[in-house]
Amino acid sequence: MFNEVVVYGSGVLLLIGALFTLLAAVGVLRFPDLYTRMHAASKAGAVGGGLILLVVALMSQDASIAIRAIIGIVFLLLTTPVSAHLLAKASLGAGYKPWGETVADETVTIASNRPVAE
């Protein structure tokens, strides 16, 4: 009984993770500028990848594989937002402007007052 719950629950989590990963890929392809694409890749990609790694941990039936998968989840959740933030900050500092219809982005105002390094 317990094994069936784990198998079906893992299947559901795998489908949800794959859906999030697909949505991240669609967002990267469809969103208009770097910042919104990074948003899709960092948020949905991290959740999708984390859920898939969770399924690996649940279905592996091996403690060493499960621990590595959980470490992978922690690493993914810690590094993805930080790297997206640093990439966005570097792009903004380099003068890459957000899409024209972006609303209320206060960092652009702050960055436009700063001289751009060459």
Side-chain angles (χ1 to χ4, degrees), residues 12-26 44 48 51-52:
V12 170
L13 287 176
L14 185 62
L15 287 175
I16 293 171
L19 179 66
F20 270 97
T21 305
L22 176 68
L23 291 174
V26 170
L51 286 175
I52 291 171

Side-chain angles (χ1 to χ4, degrees), residues 22-33 37 40:
L22 176 68
L23 291 174
V26 170
V28 168
L29 291 175
R30 298 287 298 172
F31 282 162
D33 67 346
R37 289 177 183 161

Side-chain angles (χ1 to χ4, degrees), residues 2-3 5-14 50-62 65-67 69-70 73:
F2 181 71
N3 283 341
V5 170
V6 170
V7 168
Y8 288 123
S10 297
V12 170
L13 287 176
L14 185 62
L51 286 175
I52 291 171
L53 283 173
L54 181 63
V55 169
V56 169
L58 288 174
M59 294 300 295
S60 66
Q61 298 182 352
D62 185 4
I65 294 173
I67 289 172
I70 291 171
I73 293 169

Side-chain angles (χ1 to χ4, degrees), residues 35-53:
Y35 304 107
T36 53
R37 289 177 183 161
M38 276 193 313
H39 178 78
S42 64
K43 303 294 189 269
V47 171
L51 286 175
I52 291 171
L53 283 173

